[in-house]
Amino acid sequence: MADPSERIWTAALAVIGDEILSGRTQDRNVAQVAAWLNVQGIRLVEVRVVADWEEAIVEAVNQLRARNDYLFTTGGIGPTHDDITVDAIAAALGVGVVHHPEAMAVLERYYATRGGLTEARARMARVPEGAGLIVNKVSGAPGIRIDNIFIMAGVPHITAGMLDALTGTLEGGRPVVSRSIGGWIAESEVADLLRACEKQWNDEGRGGVAIGSYPFFREGRVGANFVVRGPDAALVDACLADLAERLGAAGYGVTAGGV
Amino acid sequence: MADPSERIWTAALAVIGDEILSGRTQDRNVAQVAAWLNVQGIRLVEVRVVADWEEAIVEAVNQLRARNDYLFTTGGIGPTHDDITVDAIAAALGVGVVHHPEAMAVLERYYATRGGLTEARARMARVPEGAGLIVNKVSGAPGIRIDNIFIMAGVPHITAGMLDALTGTLEGGRPVVSRSIGGWIAESEVADLLRACEKQWNDEGRGGVAIGSYPFFREGRVGANFVVRGPDAALVDACLADLAERLGAAGYGVTAGGV
């Protein structure tokens, strides 16, 4: 049984960077942050992609941090003039920017064999006043944590390293479990069946499962995958089994795990 | 010379769908919509990914349509119960939902040889009252246009077909031109050089170029690509040439077009 009083932990993600908005770079961080959050029992409920423009970052940060348990950001923490995330978040919080002593020490060690710690490189030790650090095992500059905001790199494998360092450190709830089935089925033929199935598994106080329908076109044929999601694994499994049975009874062949 | 009075046309994109926020599906629409908009002379200035949840869609739609020339949405216009984009946008606009006669005719033709137009399929002819259609050459159901909002499919190749149908129909300004150079350069070594170059090309009323710095790690080495962007191609070219010369004079080898 789903517990209606169960606390749901939410997060938002702000992807910061002109290169995503110009189409130059295909974002990879939304999917990886989403998948990681889910394992922590935290739901990613909104994402914004914002330009390298202080006002836009301030607005997004202040809206998103206020209404979510956690806010993650990616991008804009490098050494160059277009890296303005730290200044913008400090402005959003109304605090100053300082060089974090531990970050300075990390960068001094990292650059000792790479030409030394220049002023530009020391920019990467700048943090909003009062912030802590997120370990970066991949390259030099650490990520930054302040209040409920986690400021991470934009380069996906560095972001991945920072997420790895945060694994298990954030309070969350039960992870959302998701299970899929799929088939060479036009979703429009089974729309009523899907709706009825989802409704039945949410009636009678059993709430907390959602069925998503994701059509595709492949090898010249239409198909769809159906994903059942919810925090209660037993309920998700039962709903999925029922859905498979309904589809089978209607004459559709389905494959566990999706097509 | 950049004209400071030049009108800049802006667009926002709302990507609608739990499958993006859960990490199940890697979004492809941000990059393709961004690239397409740029050719139309319209700048994508913000993106939001929102859940299949009416309140969230209404909020995003109302904020984004009010402060941009155009709002595009992708996702949530299929035949199943989790496709709620049309209802949410109608709610945002304060209008009802009707079956569009031309969309009904399109769907009747499309499904004539595919099992007929069922009630579920006719859902895809539902539009906010007063809307027009966007041609879909790829599959059956059309996209929808109402006011400054363009409602498109979530499946990327169908979205692409709808963008194709809109090509050249929207008023825009000069496209932003972008040119790249790159090299096996640690961006932290050239941060001051980049800043000085951008500043100089924006002083003396020549404004309107931006330099972005995008580091990468490849084959065990660090490198960076530098992108100069702006609406004035001659200015962008001149700035890029100057940047290449400055990097060369500082002893860095660079490759036109990026590394």
Side-chain angles (χ1 to χ4, degrees), chain B residues 46-80:
Chain B
E46 49 185 329
V47 175
R48 297 197 190 172
V49 186
V50 295
D52 296 325
W53 181 43
E54 184 164 308
E55 273 179 61
I57 300 171
V58 167
E59 182 199 78
V61 164
N62 278 336
Q63 283 188 12
L64 297 176
R65 75 188 173 103
R67 66 187 189 190
N68 290 286
D69 294 305
Y70 305 105
L71 168 61
F72 291 78
T73 75
T74 59
I77 62 167
T80 57

Side-chain angles (χ1 to χ4, degrees), chain A residues 47 49 59 67 121 188, chain B residues 47 49 59 67 121 188 211:
Chain A
V47 175
V49 186
E59 182 200 77
R67 66 187 189 191
R121 287 167 168 172
S188 58
Chain B
V47 175
V49 186
E59 182 199 78
R67 66 187 189 190
R121 287 168 169 174
S188 59
I211 301 177

Side-chain angles (χ1 to χ4, degrees), chain A residues 35-139:
Chain A
W36 178 86
L37 281 170
N38 192 45
V39 176
Q40 316 307 309
I42 298 164
R43 291 196 205 171
L44 180 63
V45 294
E46 49 184 329
V47 175
R48 296 197 189 171
V49 186
V50 295
D52 296 326
W53 181 42
E54 185 165 308
E55 273 180 60
I57 300 171
V58 167
E59 182 200 77
V61 164
N62 278 335
Q63 283 188 12
L64 297 175
R65 74 188 174 100
R67 66 187 189 191
N68 291 285
D69 294 304
Y70 304 106
L71 168 62
F72 291 78
T73 74
T74 58
I77 62 168
T80 56
H81 65 284
D82 55 339
D83 292 305
I84 64 166
T85 297
V86 167
D87 296 87
I89 291 178
L93 298 173
V95 302
V97 174
V98 297
H99 283 84
H100 192 291
E102 197 183 323
M104 285 295 281
V106 167
L107 292 172
E108 262 162 24
R109 279 197 301 278
Y110 184 80
Y111 286 111
T113 58
R114 293 176 174 87
L117 182 56
T118 60
E119 194 184 322
R121 287 167 168 172
R123 263 176 67 80
M124 293 185 282
R126 295 170 75 249
V127 303
E129 204 162 359
L133 302 181
I134 302 170
V135 172
N136 174 358
K137 296 175 197 163
V138 179
S139 56

Side-chain angles (χ1 to χ4, degrees), chain B residues 1-24:
Chain B
M1 295 283 279
D3 174 2
S5 70
E6 183 170 328
R7 166 92 155 87
I8 293 172
W9 296 77
T10 70
L13 170 63
V15 173
I16 299 167
D18 288 348
E19 72 277 22
I20 309 292
L21 291 170
S22 72
R24 177 185 181 277

Side-chain angles (χ1 to χ4, degrees), chain A residues 19 21 24 26-27 34 47-49 59 67 79 81-82 121 187-189 198 211-214 225 227, chain B residues 19 21 24 26-27 34 47-49 59 67 79 81-82 121 187-189 191 198 211-214 227:
Chain A
E19 71 277 22
L21 291 171
R24 177 186 180 274
Q26 164 70 52
D27 168 76
V47 175
R48 296 197 189 171
V49 186
E59 182 200 77
R67 66 187 189 191
H81 65 284
D82 55 339
R121 287 167 168 172
E187 62 168 2
S188 58
E189 293 180 9
E198 190 192 67
I211 301 177
S213 174
Y214 304 110
N225 286 305
V227 181
Chain B
E19 72 277 22
L21 291 170
R24 177 185 181 277
Q26 164 70 54
D27 169 75
V47 175
R48 297 197 190 172
V49 186
E59 182 199 78
R67 66 187 189 190
H81 63 285
D82 54 339
R121 287 168 169 174
E187 61 167 2
S188 59
E189 292 180 11
E198 191 192 67
I211 301 177
S213 173
Y214 305 110
V227 180

